Amino acid sequence: MSPCAPGRWLLALALAALLAGCSLPPLEGRSESRALSAAEARETPLGRAVGDLAAPRPGLTGVHTLEDPREAFAARVQMAQLAERTLDVQYYIWRDDITGHLLLEALRAAADRGVRVRLLLDDYGHAGLDAELAALDAHPDVEVRLFNPFPFRAFKPLGFITDFSRANRRMHNKSFTADNAITILGGRNVGDEYFGATDGVLFADLDVLAMGPAVAQVSSAFDAYWVSASSYPIASLVAPPPAEVLAAIRQRTALVERSEPAATYKQAVRELPCYGSLVRKDYSLVWAPAHLVVDDPSKGLALAQPEQLLLHHMAEAVGVPARSLDLVSPYFVPTDAGTDYFAGLARTGVRVRILTNSLAATDVLVVHSGYARHRQPLLAAGVALYELRPDPREQAAKAARRDEGPRMPGGSGSSGSSLHAKTFGVDMERVFVGSFNFDPRSAKLNTELGLVIDSPELAGAIAHVFEVRAPRSSWELRLDPGSGGLRWVDGSGRSVAVEPMTSWWQRAAVRLLEPLPIDWML
């Protein structure tokens, strides 16, 4: 035996012990719970207010769009404050930042009043919050579960090595439901960048607040995810924090609560009139038929059948566009099949308009590479393409605040606003608002949900984006009639042949990534 052999054996034994500790705990013994029944929901103050509003409109769902990030934050807090019986909350990302902590405290305050809180988070998107979540879970009226968790908590990326197939499938759903009476769903995660509270990338996003029949569908979907084979109680994965950690959490929470940004958000909650208006029955809503489309949670373990997927339900609910398709997607990776679909629609006379992030605005450079090579075929077929233009004033202001070095490819590609809304309108009659990106990851890997709403009014609002707002805030892409190359045209008609507001290394990185067969992961 060589002198080094004992060291190798010890290393092998240590690795074996590490991997042995990377197995998930059993699911037996999970608590059982369900959303409020329709009758129970009607007995809550929110349920009675919704019932009074919905009574003259049987079968219709009331919808209010949440574009303003401060209103979107305040709406969630007010729902937590007005809930009497239950809060069911489901998110992909929950940041360890100011708005993340404020919303955790809103959930805790609701539980202190006796509201049952169920919080289901994807385990990839809450870095640094294990102790806070475990402390929240210790509350007698709160339970926290993690979707497709990483058993080795100290270094989660190890899970991609030991169980890649499962770890690569994430829960991308976003919903916030109070008393099975009102829900918020859409594209926003929980974090400062989604609520306009950061100097970094500010995601232009869209949620809908809904009440009526669609809420029961959201609650039913939440129940299915809550009891799925991918949802693990955090108590089975994270030990309760010791007293000194709890004290540090309380101290940090107090500092966050007293901070100037927190004061701004608390003011937004106080100033938002919508829920008082709801109780007074003068709240403005669009009432329309609406239907939830959602992936079966078994998709998280690659066990869902095609008819259980959101794409199948969406095709049934939306149908084939006959006149127009207006699509807004931050991470648009159409693949060859999708490019053929959109091009085919355009060639048959359907007006197809697509708004996505430019290279200057995207926060995920590698995803832009999966879109870039499809631009010329789409334009050649008659598809209109718009790419969001970052506000140069935001970039200049941020550059003045700190001296920035060059960013590495794959990191944040923008220092200003970035598109994050996921919505589309069909034939000026129907709209979709949800978490679904038009990319292979949303279609095949991540779980998603969204609301299909039969509303010409909301479909017209999406068309307005392309007719008024997109020309002002985006570049329209065109083919150069001479060379066949791309040109980016701003609202004043000025055009350039190089991706605007980008550096040479960003463009070089995209060109290097474009030929790689990685679309299926994007």
Side-chain angles (χ1 to χ4, degrees), residues 163-184:
D163 193 1
F164 178 79
S165 178
R166 185 184 65 85
N168 193 40
R169 293 177 175 271
R170 309 314 317 171
M171 184 192 73
H172 199 235
N173 310 28
K174 299 126 169 113
S175 66
F176 194 112
T177 306
D179 287 341
N180 195 16
I182 301 180
T183 192
I184 294 174

Side-chain angles (χ1 to χ4, degrees), residues 160 164-170 299 302 332-337 366-367 369-371 373-374 437-446 448 513-522:
F160 289 102
F164 178 79
S165 178
R166 185 184 65 85
N168 193 40
R169 293 177 175 271
R170 309 314 317 171
K299 185 182 180 185
F332 180 62
V333 184
T335 72
D336 292 340
V366 67
V367 171
S369 73
Y371 149 72
R373 66 184 179 87
H374 299 285
N437 291 306
F438 276 78
D439 59 20
R441 174 162 288 278
S442 283
K444 299 178 180 179
L445 297 173
N446 292 349
E448 309 284 353
L513 291 167
E514 276 185 48
L516 300 181
I518 56 175
D519 280 6
W520 67 277
M521 291 184 65
L522 303 180

Side-chain angles (χ1 to χ4, degrees), residues 9 16 23 54 57 67 127 186 223 246 250 259 264-265 294 345 349 391 416 427 434 465 473-474 481 490 514:
W9 276 108
S23 59
R57 309 169 178 90
E67 289 187 70
D223 280 347
L246 288 174
R250 287 192 292 269
S259 69
T264 301
Y265 274 82
V294 59
L345 286 177
D391 188 333
D427 293 339
V465 168
S473 60
S474 306
D490 65 19
E514 276 185 48

Side-chain angles (χ1 to χ4, degrees), residues 180-368:
N180 195 16
I182 301 180
T183 192
I184 294 174
L185 59 85
R188 278 188 182 87
N189 295 296
V190 172
D192 290 356
E193 68 264 42
Y194 303 97
F195 296 123
T198 176
D199 290 333
V201 176
L202 302 179
F203 286 112
D205 223 324
L206 179 66
D207 296 316
V208 292
L209 180 148
M211 57 191 73
V215 180
Q217 298 172 19
V218 175
S219 292
S220 178
F222 183 93
D223 280 347
Y225 275 81
W226 188 250
V227 300
S228 75
S230 293
S231 297
Y232 288 74
I234 192 172
S236 68
L237 295 153
V238 179
E244 60 271 19
V245 174
L246 288 174
I249 291 172
R250 287 192 292 269
Q251 183 178 21
R252 182 181 178 191
T253 299
L255 289 173
V256 169
E257 291 270 347
R258 293 195 298 268
S259 69
E260 184 176 343
T264 301
Y265 274 82
K266 291 177 181 179
Q267 184 67 23
V269 174
R270 289 191 293 269
E271 292 177 351
L272 182 66
C274 64
Y275 296 100
S277 300
L278 169 64
V279 175
R280 294 196 305 270
K281 303 178 179 58
D282 60 357
Y283 185 53
S284 177
L285 296 163
V286 174
W287 289 90
H291 180 73
L292 182 76
V293 289
V294 59
D295 282 312
D296 190 277
S298 61
K299 185 182 180 185
L301 296 175
L303 297 175
Q305 300 301 309
E307 63 272 13
Q308 295 176 296
L309 298 180
L310 177 143
L311 274 179
H312 175 81
H313 302 312
M314 190 186 296
E316 288 185 333
V318 173
V320 179
R323 299 184 303 278
S324 64
L325 172 62
D326 292 326
L327 187 152
V328 179
S329 179
Y331 310 119
F332 180 62
V333 184
T335 72
D336 292 340
T339 299
D340 290 343
Y341 171 76
F342 292 117
L345 286 177
R347 291 191 181 105
T348 62
V350 176
R351 185 191 65 198
V352 181
R353 299 182 291 193
I354 297 170
L355 171 64
T356 190
N357 277 313
S358 64
L359 177 56
T362 187
D363 65 316
V364 187
L365 186 148
V366 67
V367 171
H368 188 83

Side-chain angles (χ1 to χ4, degrees), residues 102-176:
L102 289 176
L103 277 169
L104 284 180
E105 284 307 301
L107 299 183
R108 189 190 308 278
D112 288 342
R113 300 194 320 271
V115 176
R116 185 200 70 194
V117 177
R118 296 189 294 178
L119 176 60
L120 177 59
L121 299 178
D122 183 85
D123 195 34
Y124 189 66
H126 61 89
L129 279 175
D130 269 8
E132 283 86 346
L133 293 173
L136 181 64
D137 180 74
H139 193 292
D141 285 317
V142 179
E143 185 175 359
V144 179
R145 292 186 181 178
L146 304 179
F147 191 90
N148 267 356
F150 299 86
F152 189 65
R153 310 305 295 173
F155 186 63
K156 288 184 182 181
L158 184 63
F160 289 102
I161 299 172
T162 60
D163 193 1
F164 178 79
S165 178
R166 185 184 65 85
N168 193 40
R169 293 177 175 271
R170 309 314 317 171
M171 184 192 73
H172 199 235
N173 310 28
K174 299 126 169 113
S175 66
F176 194 112

